[in-house]
Amino acid sequence: MTVSDPVVEDVVSTISRTATEIRQGLVGRRGTVDEENPSGETQAEADIWADELLEGRLTEIDGIGEYASEERATVVDCGADPDGDAYAIACDPLDGSSNLKSNNAMGTIFGVYDAALPARGDTLVAAGYVLYGPITTMVLATEESVSVYEMSGGERRLVQSDVTLPEEPVVYGFGGGVSNWPDEFEAFAREIETELKLRYGGAMIADVNQVLTYGGIFGYPGLESRPAGKLRLQFEGNPIGYVVERAGGRSSNGHRSLLTIDPDDLHERTPVHVGNAELIDRLEDRPT
């Protein structure tokens, strides 16, 4: 199954081919380097390698004006105007790379924006993620629908189309140290833990995929020590918010949809909450 927009299809096909190499190339790249990303986090060798691999291929696509990632400080200019006929790509090349040490799930997140970066989430025309689990899968959201593919040999095979969140939520996962949660979020979390099953693995992609599969809520709130939270709006919040909203759920920074936030900085952080609409409504309705 191909995407109707030929440029977006080129992006998705390129990421499909590259994802197989990224997964295979993780072997031997589990260590860290003596460098930090623009957000001040220690980089894994695999972070830098995956970013360079994606940047080298995605920037060669006709119709792509900008490339940006969590691993580099500035936007790469590809020579076309992203405010004209070109798109901009923002990605997290290896979400959950800290899981390399323990050999747990991780993934690649991408968003295709019809605007220069940093951009609002409602300018996305497609977004998705690759999950490196027992099976390598891609979840892709476009203006038409949300689809799931299995990945093998650089190719993708459609296994589910018109994906929607199950109506009855089952799982939840909340990030950040519990002792660092604001009181209002902790009160909400204590309600949720009596209703749903905990699923939290340290890679947002894996946790969100549980929510998309079974229904529920994922959240990484603002913390007492870090009110803006940990996750980046351009590379994580917007693409994942787009996927979940296209699947019939909601996204929120605790007050409104992630897709309506006007960004001030390429690496701007935001609290991220995604899941079934009723659960996000309850989160936003709590007194602050």
Side-chain angles (χ1 to χ4, degrees):
M1 178 180 179
T2 59
V3 180
S4 58
D5 187 308
V7 177
V8 175
E9 173 59 26
D10 280 351
V11 170
V12 175
S13 296
T14 299
I15 292 173
S16 299
R17 294 192 302 271
T18 306
T20 300
E21 293 183 50
I22 291 176
R23 175 155 196 158
Q24 294 171 341
L26 296 176
V27 177
R29 292 187 171 92
R30 297 172 70 178
T32 59
V33 296
D34 190 22
E35 296 180 34
E36 293 182 342
N37 67 17
S39 298
E41 299 165 339
T42 300
Q43 290 178 304
E45 181 184 352
D47 284 320
I48 299 173
W49 173 74
D51 175 47
E52 291 177 348
L53 195 61
L54 287 165
E55 184 267 343
R57 294 177 181 178
L58 292 171
T59 56
E60 293 181 351
I61 297 174
D62 289 339
I64 298 302
E66 293 181 339
Y67 171 86
S69 91
E70 188 177 305
E71 304 306 328
R72 56 185 67 217
T74 58
V75 173
V76 176
D77 185 352
C78 305
D81 182 6
D83 283 329
D85 295 330
Y87 294 127
I89 300 174
C91 73
D92 182 351
L94 205 53
D95 175 67
S97 58
S98 61
N99 277 352
L100 276 166
K101 184 175 182 179
S102 58
N103 192 30
N104 286 331
M106 61 196 71
T108 296
I109 309 171
F110 62 94
V112 183
Y113 292 85
D114 190 14
L117 299 173
R120 283 169 57 113
D122 54 15
T123 65
L124 284 163
V125 296
Y129 59 86
V130 177
L131 175 62
Y132 307 116
I135 301 169
T136 302
T137 57
M138 173 186 281
V139 173
L140 173 65
T142 66
E143 295 173 335
E144 291 84 22
S145 65
V146 179
S147 303
V148 179
Y149 301 85
E150 289 182 348
M151 316 277 282
S152 180
E155 301 297 328
R156 70 185 197 271
R157 180 176 67 88
L158 181 68
V159 293
Q160 187 178 0
S161 58
D162 298 322
V163 175
T164 57
L165 267 72
E167 292 184 4
E168 295 297 326
V170 175
V171 301
Y172 78 97
F174 295 141
V178 175
S179 62
N180 211 0
W181 285 348
D183 290 343
E184 64 273 10
F185 182 79
E186 182 174 3
F188 173 75
R190 295 303 172 224
E191 290 180 7
I192 296 300
E193 70 182 11
T194 66
E195 304 170 18
L196 306 179
K197 298 177 182 179
L198 175 62
R199 293 290 186 272
Y200 188 79
M204 179 181 68
I205 287 307
D207 301 324
V208 169
N209 200 65
Q210 292 264 13
V211 170
L212 195 63
T213 303
Y214 299 112
I217 184 171
F218 166 83
Y220 202 112
L223 305 175
E224 293 290 354
S225 62
R226 184 186 283 175
K230 176 185 178 183
L231 302 176
R232 269 66 45 152
L233 180 65
Q234 296 297 290
F235 311 112
E236 297 160 317
N238 278 343
I240 294 307
Y242 183 89
V243 169
V244 173
E245 291 198 15
R246 284 291 181 271
R250 285 201 59 211
S251 75
S252 177
N253 66 349
H255 304 284
R256 59 194 175 99
S257 168
L258 295 171
L259 307 186
T260 65
I261 297 173
D262 291 305
D264 295 318
D265 182 76
L266 181 65
H267 293 274
E268 182 175 329
R269 298 180 189 266
T270 181
V272 171
H273 309 278
V274 294
N276 286 72
E278 64 187 87
L279 297 175
I280 300 299
D281 290 344
R282 282 171 56 185
L283 170 75
E284 291 182 344
D285 288 343
R286 294 197 65 84
T288 58

